[in-house]
Amino acid sequence: MTDPNCKPPKLAVEIHGLTKIYASSKKRPTVTALAGVNLCVPTGSLFALLGPNGAGKSTLINTLGGLTTKSGGSVKIWGIDIDKYPRNARSAIGIVPQELNMDAFFTPREYLNMQAGLYGVPPADTKTDEILARVGLSSVADSYARTLSGGMRRRLLIAKAMVHDPPVLVLDEPTAGVDIELREQLWENIRILNRGGVTVLITTHYLEEAEKLCDRIAIIHNGELITSERKETLLSRIDEKTLIITTDHPLVAVPPNLLQFSPLLTQKGAIVINYRKGIIKVNQILEEFRKAQLAIVDIKSEETNLGDIFLQLTKTSPHRKKDPAE
């Protein structure tokens, strides 16, 4: 556990030049899973690490948790170097794995008490009831794990990672395989933890999840960090916008004065215009519709989303062997 009286560092996780090379074997060639990654996670942030399968996410997280030995570079968790003070560094982080691996005949209360003991937390200092309440499991604290729903089991894994009161929490694909309702519940649990002062780092394949939850986003691909910045900054990188305009009668051809916008005509006679907000204003487009004497009955607007940016950034990244840890 970290000392609550100590001033928190500005960076919860600080990574410089992190490299991991898996040696060749009879079944595979040498694989560079991480190639000089530099990543900083500000204290108090809700941070997303995105990347396709084999990008290096699992190797990076396993390195933070002390499960993978890095080939090079430096890593600090809560200002603690993982090489110089490995036990202290591991005490500053809680990691929630993607797999739901737990003994079916333990109760949530027993799980948390046992985990606290493994971290050397004195019985008098355990916060089992408080943690169970934070993740919404108080009502099933004494039920066997085998009777819990999938969403409850995921919340139990989060609780298990919090028993030693770590200031940094890492969740590996926290909502994989859960339905929409449970996903919303888990998102809210994560927000509550973050508002309580916990720095949260999540890996996810759900871009919507990162866009809704996180204030900062990093993208890793082929073992290299492509970008790491505030969500708003990342989303503003591409200023493309789409307008779908329906007139009072279906169009069979595009009026000549609208051709300057390179529009598309849908099968139902609506006009689709893709434009860049920094170059063309909506009023310019609407003025041309007025000149063409077209009466507009509906306008739909589509903004660039995180998925568009993710695809644009990753498709230009150089090819590299996939990370065997993923």
Side-chain angles (χ1 to χ4, degrees), residues 219-238:
I219 298 175
I220 189 171
H221 189 43
N222 292 330
E224 298 178 349
L225 191 72
I226 299 174
T227 187
S228 177
E229 51 197 316
R230 292 194 62 82
K231 177 176 64 179
E232 293 78 13
T233 304
L234 186 60
L235 290 175
S236 68
R237 276 193 177 205
I238 303 176

Side-chain angles (χ1 to χ4, degrees), residues 30-101:
T30 299
V31 174
T32 301
L34 296 173
V37 171
N38 298 309
L39 179 66
C40 293
V41 179
T43 295
S45 62
L46 218 170
F47 196 101
L49 179 63
L50 307 181
N53 285 334
K57 301 188 303 296
S58 291
T59 293
L60 191 150
I61 286 177
N62 289 341
T63 301
L64 294 178
L67 300 176
T68 294
T69 303
K70 57 186 174 60
S71 302
S74 64
V75 177
K76 290 182 179 180
I77 301 170
W78 209 246
I80 305 166
D81 190 294
I82 66 169
D83 292 324
K84 294 180 179 178
Y85 310 102
R87 291 187 63 182
N88 290 354
R90 283 196 291 270
S91 293
I93 193 169
I95 296 182
V96 182
Q98 181 179 343
E99 297 78 14
L100 293 173
N101 51 348

Side-chain angles (χ1 to χ4, degrees), residues 122-137:
D125 295 336
T126 56
K127 299 179 179 179
T128 298
D129 290 334
E130 177 186 329
I131 295 170
L132 289 172
R134 288 170 75 183
V135 297
L137 292 178

Side-chain angles (χ1 to χ4, degrees), residues 156-171:
L156 179 54
L157 288 179
I158 295 174
K160 187 179 175 183
M162 295 297 296
V163 296
H164 55 298
D165 202 21
V168 183
L169 183 64
V170 177
L171 301 104

Side-chain angles (χ1 to χ4, degrees), residues 2 48-49 58 105 178 237 259-260 273 311 326:
T2 57
L49 179 63
S58 291
F105 295 97
V178 304
R237 276 193 177 205
L259 293 176
Q260 61 182 302
I273 296 176
L311 290 174
E326 300 201 17

Side-chain angles (χ1 to χ4, degrees), residues 53-280:
N53 285 334
K57 301 188 303 296
S58 291
T59 293
L60 191 150
I61 286 177
N62 289 341
T63 301
L64 294 178
L67 300 176
T68 294
T69 303
K70 57 186 174 60
S71 302
S74 64
V75 177
K76 290 182 179 180
I77 301 170
W78 209 246
I80 305 166
D81 190 294
I82 66 169
D83 292 324
K84 294 180 179 178
Y85 310 102
R87 291 187 63 182
N88 290 354
R90 283 196 291 270
S91 293
I93 193 169
I95 296 182
V96 182
Q98 181 179 343
E99 297 78 14
L100 293 173
N101 51 348
M102 57 183 66
D103 192 306
F105 295 97
F106 276 92
T107 68
R109 192 186 305 280
E110 290 169 340
Y111 255 118
L112 268 56
N113 287 336
M114 179 177 64
Q115 187 74 1
L118 293 175
Y119 272 97
V121 180
D125 295 336
T126 56
K127 299 179 179 179
T128 298
D129 290 334
E130 177 186 329
I131 295 170
L132 289 172
R134 288 170 75 183
V135 297
L137 292 178
S138 297
S139 62
V140 293
D142 297 307
S143 301
Y144 287 127
R146 60 187 171 85
T147 67
L148 304 182
S149 67
M152 287 179 176
R153 293 185 187 189
R154 289 209 176 275
R155 280 183 275 162
L156 179 54
L157 288 179
I158 295 174
K160 187 179 175 183
M162 295 297 296
V163 296
H164 55 298
D165 202 21
V168 183
L169 183 64
V170 177
L171 301 104
D172 190 7
E173 299 289 347
T175 59
V178 304
D179 60 36
I180 295 175
E181 184 178 357
L182 289 177
R183 189 175 301 168
E184 291 285 350
Q185 291 176 6
L186 287 167
W187 285 352
E188 184 55 29
N189 287 136
I190 292 168
R191 291 188 187 101
I192 290 170
L193 289 170
N194 182 244
R195 287 196 294 265
V198 178
T199 301
V200 181
L201 167 63
I202 70 169
T203 71
T204 180
H205 282 94
Y206 299 113
L207 301 183
E208 175 198 6
E209 186 167 77
E211 194 167 348
K212 276 191 173 184
L213 269 180
C214 301
D215 49 62
R216 299 188 72 92
I217 294 172
I219 298 175
I220 189 171
H221 189 43
N222 292 330
E224 298 178 349
L225 191 72
I226 299 174
T227 187
S228 177
E229 51 197 316
R230 292 194 62 82
K231 177 176 64 179
E232 293 78 13
T233 304
L234 186 60
L235 290 175
S236 68
R237 276 193 177 205
I238 303 176
D239 66 347
E240 291 179 358
K241 193 170 183 178
T242 300
L243 286 181
I244 304 171
I245 301 175
T246 303
T247 57
D248 59 350
H249 63 276
L251 297 175
V252 295
V254 176
N257 66 315
L258 293 176
L259 293 176
Q260 61 182 302
F261 304 119
S262 301
L264 299 174
L265 200 61
T266 70
Q267 290 182 344
K268 294 184 178 181
I271 292 180
V272 180
I273 296 176
N274 296 305
Y275 69 99
R276 300 197 63 170
K277 294 181 288 183
I279 300 175
I280 299 173

